[in-house]
Amino acid sequence: MPWVSYLPALAQGALVTAWITLAAIAIGAVLAFVAGIARVEGGRAVSTLALCYTELFRGTSLLVQLFWFYYALPLVGISFEPVATGILVLALHVGAYGSEIVRGALTSVSVQQLEAARALNFGRMHTLIHVTLPQAIIEMLPAFGNLAIETLKLSSLVSLISIADLTFRAQSIRNLTLDSAGVYSLTLVGYFAMSLVLMLVMRLIERWARRGAAFPRAAHS
Amino acid sequence: MMYGFTWDTATPLTYAWSILPIILIGLTVTLKAAAAGFAIALVLGLVFAMLRRSRWRSVSWTTACVVEFLRDTPLLVQLFFLYYVLPEYGLTLPAFLTGALALGLQYSAYTSEVYRGGIEAVPRGQWEAATALNMTRMQTYRDIVVPQIVPRILPAMGNYMVAMIKETPVLSVITVLDMMALANMIGERTFEYLVPLTMVGLIFLILTLICSAGLHRLQKVLPKAGIPLR
Amino acid sequence: MTEKAPAPLIQFAGVTKRFGALTVLDDFNFEVAPGEKVTLIGPSGSGKSTVLRILMTLEPFQEGRLTLAGMDYQEPGGTGPFKASERHLREIRSHVGMVFQSFNLFPHMSVMRNVAEAPVRVLGLSRDEAQARAVDLLAMVGLADKKDHFPSQLSGGQQQRVAIARALAMRPRVLLFDEPTSALDPQLVGEVLAVIGDLAHEHDLTMLLVTHEMRFAREVSDRVCFFDKGRICEQGSPEAIFTAPSHPRTCEFLASVLR
């Protein structure tokens, strides 16, 4: 069973993949909220700026962005570590797609809720933070779950800028052993397993968030 | 020099102008790959969607697993798999076809879900009426179900097509000479990546904006196109 | 028009409100004295809810003048649909509260927080103060034991009572009720009306009530206004309106709802 000997190297690669994916999701989520809220609540200048960011990063291909940051930017004197480049580009991608999710969820909160907030004389910021966002976040979770899995899959592209992630390790092992079927099957299964874990985590978060709103602690009093 | 065109690196502008023809040759490859990939995804997705609704539990369950697997693993690794493993079993395809196949496989997982949603939206009464008219399952799909779901699924399909176009640069890693590959090669030879890569990005941006505008228009036109939505 | 109070708390003078081509209020004149309890009745689409929504600054109006305690809704030189700054609107809102047809409780907050949140955030009360106030009000509406529940765990009638407590916690001078019982199952209407009926005894609270509960309107209001096509076509004491309506549209409407 030769493939057992691949496992340590692949596992190391999987760790890098996991780290890059999680970092990109975390940073991307912040960007998504900033840009999404800017789209809905910002003045004309701010929301246009956010729209440009969203369209730019949704409209150009991720691999192009990655190579652009990796090969082109250093030529004008801006360069990062490969890992930082990978995380940055993925995060910008998550932020752009996520901002659409945030915007959609914010605008889907019912008008009646906003009217109730106004009748209680809430300010704009307070309405956003305490009325709109808590309700919108629950609506965002399924879409963010899909985006997280998308990010995990797309993180494989960082292997092309020489980051030793799971795909990169698989390539190295194949070049060494020429056992394509074994290595790539294992790698696919590895990604699949990580996707399943991510899905499970997102589902738990969603269940927890929904329970908070509908069935609080005092439910059984 | 490439495809008979030489580049002029005097200024960024002359450089961009001189390599534009090369990039546009790449664009045709990009579009062909996306078109071929999407055709595969449309057919394969429908097959998956129908198998998923099969009366035999084992068939529908297996299909569900395959679709889930295709959807949850990276295109890049699927591409490597096809590119390196198929020849080991005696199936050597040109890189372009391998690439289109990989795109089609990955996206068939998405399109099958779109089909499934569309099929499930067809009221039960339609199926019962077809049964009452003694139509076969195949006839029911072809004459009753598909015509009804087409306008419903077009927008979602369009979105996936745009997404697929943006993923075609990945094919450059298996030697398909698309926009991305050509831009990289120019960059390697001139040591100037900024202009070619920016051009590729801009062309993708323009493509996406055109497609989104077209889809938007389509959504407005569709209900009037004569196929009743409800 | 009325020889009651010389200084009205609310005054609509020639207010016109349009939605696109539709005129909802047409050169509308209306006054409410401090502490007065006024019920607005009439067919749907006659503009009665719009009066409340304009008072709550949920809707702007195009022409005319509206004042609350001498304060103009529109500022001279004000911009935007409301022709007023957000600060000015918030100053007005601090005097007005509203109870909605569909309750509009915040589903992600406990009953306690629904009631105490605005006093803390908007009035600047301490948490303890606000919660003490909330406990009193919840006791008043008979829901002291539900303070840790979430809106989804309450019946419609209970939710609406919480919404009333929530509005009262802001100590408004004017409280608006927009069909507060229309979304409720018939057997839950009574508990909500009982709470509103209690409030009607509050001397200082000005109440405007849009409702289809005619018997209740008769019991609690000082004055009943019948709306038709964006105007008040008849108003007077409940006795006068319900026992001896003079306008043919009023007779027609009352005949249709009373049986």
Side-chain angles (χ1 to χ4, degrees):
Chain A
M1 290 208 293
W3 56 267
V4 176
S5 60
Y6 313 151
L7 284 179
L10 288 180
Q12 276 186 324
L15 276 181
V16 174
T17 291
W19 151 240
I20 287 181
T21 303
L22 292 179
I25 291 173
I27 299 169
V30 175
L31 287 173
F33 274 94
V34 171
I37 291 170
R39 287 282 299 280
V40 179
E41 296 283 328
R44 183 172 292 187
V46 173
S47 66
T48 308
L49 196 70
L51 175 70
C52 287
Y53 158 65
T54 307
E55 288 301 315
L56 188 65
F57 281 88
R58 274 160 38 107
T60 57
S61 169
L62 181 65
L63 190 60
V64 178
Q65 293 160 21
L66 199 62
F67 280 10
W68 199 85
F69 275 74
Y70 188 69
Y71 290 114
L73 267 193
L75 296 175
V76 291
I78 306 168
S79 61
F80 309 99
E81 293 274 294
V83 173
T85 307
I87 291 175
L88 177 68
V89 173
L90 279 172
L92 286 167
H93 179 86
V94 173
Y97 279 86
S99 74
E100 283 292 294
I101 299 172
V102 171
R103 188 182 67 93
L106 284 180
T107 47
S108 76
V109 170
S110 75
V111 182
Q112 279 117 4
Q113 287 291 309
L114 301 180
E115 288 184 347
R118 209 189 275 186
L120 291 170
N121 212 358
F122 282 170
R124 220 164 141 191
M125 253 304 154
H126 185 250
T127 304
L128 177 69
I129 294 173
H130 294 279
V131 179
T132 321
L133 269 179
Q135 300 185 50
I137 283 177
I138 293 176
E139 298 306 311
M140 294 174 202
L141 283 175
F144 263 118
N146 288 337
L147 186 56
I149 291 186
E150 204 62 28
T151 310
L152 171 67
K153 285 162 58 183
L154 289 172
S155 76
S156 64
L157 295 180
V158 302
S159 67
L160 302 175
I161 58 166
S162 77
I163 295 172
D165 76 334
L166 180 52
T167 307
F168 186 91
R169 298 280 182 167
Q171 280 291 78
S172 317
I173 297 172
R174 193 214 84 94
N175 292 342
L176 220 64
T177 63
L178 296 181
D179 175 18
S180 309
V183 176
Y184 289 126
S185 303
L186 265 183
T187 307
L188 286 171
V189 169
Y191 275 108
F192 186 57
M194 289 163 86
S195 288
L196 291 182
V197 171
L198 205 52
M199 234 182 280
L200 188 73
V201 170
M202 287 308 293
R203 212 152 282 172
L204 286 178
I205 292 175
E206 202 185 322
R207 186 184 295 177
W208 172 79
R210 283 196 192 280
R211 178 150 299 181
F215 308 103
R217 284 148 291 150
H220 312 290
S221 62
Chain B
M1 204 172 98
M2 206 181 280
Y3 294 119
F5 297 97
T6 44
W7 36 78
D8 170 8
T9 51
T11 69
L13 225 60
T14 56
Y15 182 33
W17 183 248
S18 65
I19 62 172
L20 184 62
I22 306 172
I23 303 275
L24 289 181
I25 290 172
L27 175 62
T28 60
V29 176
T30 296
L31 292 178
K32 277 182 206 158
F38 202 64
I40 296 172
L42 281 180
V43 174
L44 205 55
L46 185 57
V47 172
F48 281 146
M50 288 168 67
L51 289 179
R52 187 84 198 266
R53 290 177 63 84
S54 162
R55 294 193 185 95
W56 293 289
R57 251 267 170 72
S58 56
V59 173
S60 66
W61 195 81
T62 313
T63 315
C65 287
V66 169
V67 168
E68 195 66 43
F69 191 84
L70 285 175
R71 195 177 35 202
D72 293 337
T73 51
L75 173 65
L76 182 63
V77 183
Q78 291 175 9
L79 189 66
F80 283 143
F81 188 94
L82 293 180
Y83 187 65
Y84 291 115
V85 177
L86 285 187
E88 286 183 9
Y89 293 89
L91 188 63
T92 310
L93 296 172
F96 177 86
L97 275 186
T98 310
L101 189 61
L103 282 172
L105 264 179
Q106 168 107 132
Y107 276 81
S108 68
Y110 298 126
T111 56
S112 79
E113 286 299 300
V114 177
Y115 282 121
R116 210 160 68 93
I119 292 170
E120 273 163 16
V122 173
R124 175 187 274 274
Q126 294 289 308
W127 294 90
E128 290 175 351
T131 310
L133 294 170
N134 207 9
M135 294 171 99
T136 65
R137 216 168 151 76
M138 205 57 216
Q139 285 169 329
T140 310
Y141 271 111
R142 197 190 59 210
D143 299 332
I144 310 297
V145 179
V146 171
Q148 290 194 45
I149 68 173
V150 164
R152 246 180 236 156
I153 63 177
L154 266 180
M157 289 300 187
N159 283 332
Y160 280 129
M161 194 180 73
V162 178
M164 182 186 273
I165 293 175
K166 285 184 286 182
E167 287 218 64
T168 51
V170 174
L171 304 197
S172 64
V173 303
I174 58 161
T175 74
V176 174
L177 291 177
D178 73 326
M179 271 204 290
M180 186 77 213
L182 293 178
N184 263 330
M185 282 161 70
I186 297 170
E188 274 163 28
R189 300 209 198 151
T190 61
F191 300 104
E192 161 51 292
Y193 285 91
L194 191 60
V195 170
L197 286 177
T198 307
M199 286 170 73
V200 174
L202 277 179
I203 291 175
F204 272 117
L205 187 60
I206 293 167
L207 269 181
T208 328
L209 291 178
I210 291 174
C211 290
S212 313
L215 275 174
H216 204 73
R217 175 77 66 79
L218 184 72
Q219 259 162 310
K220 287 195 171 154
V221 172
L222 264 186
K224 297 174 201 147
I227 311 170
L229 273 174
R230 238 156 236 277
Chain C
M1 202 153 52
T2 50
E3 61 261 78
K4 272 188 196 166
L9 182 65
I10 296 167
Q11 188 166 27
F12 285 77
V15 169
T16 297
K17 162 78 187 167
R18 296 186 202 92
F19 287 108
L22 184 74
T23 302
V24 188
L25 291 182
D26 185 11
D27 189 20
F28 180 71
N29 294 295
F30 180 49
E31 290 176 0
V32 181
E36 202 181 1
K37 320 288 186 259
V38 183
T39 302
L40 315 182
I41 62 171
S44 58
S46 58
K48 45 199 198 315
S49 284
T50 306
V51 169
L52 302 196
R53 292 175 61 81
I54 287 176
L55 276 169
M56 192 65 254
T57 73
L58 298 177
E59 304 277 359
F61 55 93
Q62 282 79 30
E63 283 159 36
R65 189 168 172 215
L66 170 59
T67 56
L68 175 79
M71 216 177 356
D72 252 297
Y73 268 56
Q74 299 183 338
E75 289 180 304
T79 56
F82 288 94
K83 301 193 183 97
S85 67
E86 179 67 17
R87 225 179 103 205
H88 182 69
L89 292 176
R90 293 195 66 187
E91 168 65 24
I92 292 171
R93 279 178 211 144
S94 69
H95 300 287
V96 189
M98 185 158 180
V99 174
F100 297 89
Q101 179 177 353
S102 48
F103 333 135
N104 300 2
L105 292 180
F106 301 127
H108 57 295
M109 296 182 189
S110 67
V111 164
M112 175 60 113
R113 236 191 111 195
N114 260 288
V115 180
E117 183 75 3
V120 171
R121 301 286 174 178
V122 181
L123 303 182
L125 261 60
S126 73
R127 278 246 167 245
D128 290 344
E129 256 177 301
Q131 293 196 345
R133 188 185 280 193
V135 167
D136 286 348
L137 286 167
L138 288 172
M140 194 200 89
V141 300
L143 291 170
D145 55 328
K146 302 285 188 196
K147 67 181 170 60
D148 294 322
H149 284 54
F150 278 70
S152 59
Q153 298 169 301
L154 303 182
S155 72
Q158 292 171 329
Q159 289 190 49
Q160 192 61 298
R161 281 145 67 196
V162 173
I164 293 170
R166 181 175 75 168
L168 286 172
M170 298 298 283
R171 305 254 163 98
R173 294 178 70 179
V174 180
L175 191 50
L176 311 170
F177 293 90
D178 188 7
E179 305 200 20
T181 56
S182 298
L184 296 176
D185 292 337
Q187 74 273 17
L188 301 176
V189 169
E191 59 187 68
V192 173
L193 292 184
V195 169
I196 301 174
D198 286 345
L199 284 178
H201 301 305
E202 297 277 334
H203 185 69
D204 293 330
L205 186 66
T206 308
M207 276 170 44
L208 266 71
L209 172 70
V210 171
T211 187
H212 296 295
E213 301 288 335
M214 295 305 156
R215 193 181 306 153
F216 180 71
R218 188 170 180 169
E219 281 169 26
V220 298
S221 18
D222 301 322
R223 174 156 59 115
V224 175
C225 302
F226 175 71
F227 273 65
D228 193 45
K229 300 195 175 93
R231 286 165 183 260
I232 295 175
C233 69
E234 183 170 5
Q235 59 177 323
S237 70
E239 270 65 38
I241 296 285
F242 288 116
T243 55
S246 60
H247 198 284
R249 290 287 293 142
T250 319
C251 306
E252 208 176 298
F253 174 76
L254 288 176
S256 73
V257 289
L258 291 178
R259 187 104 359 124

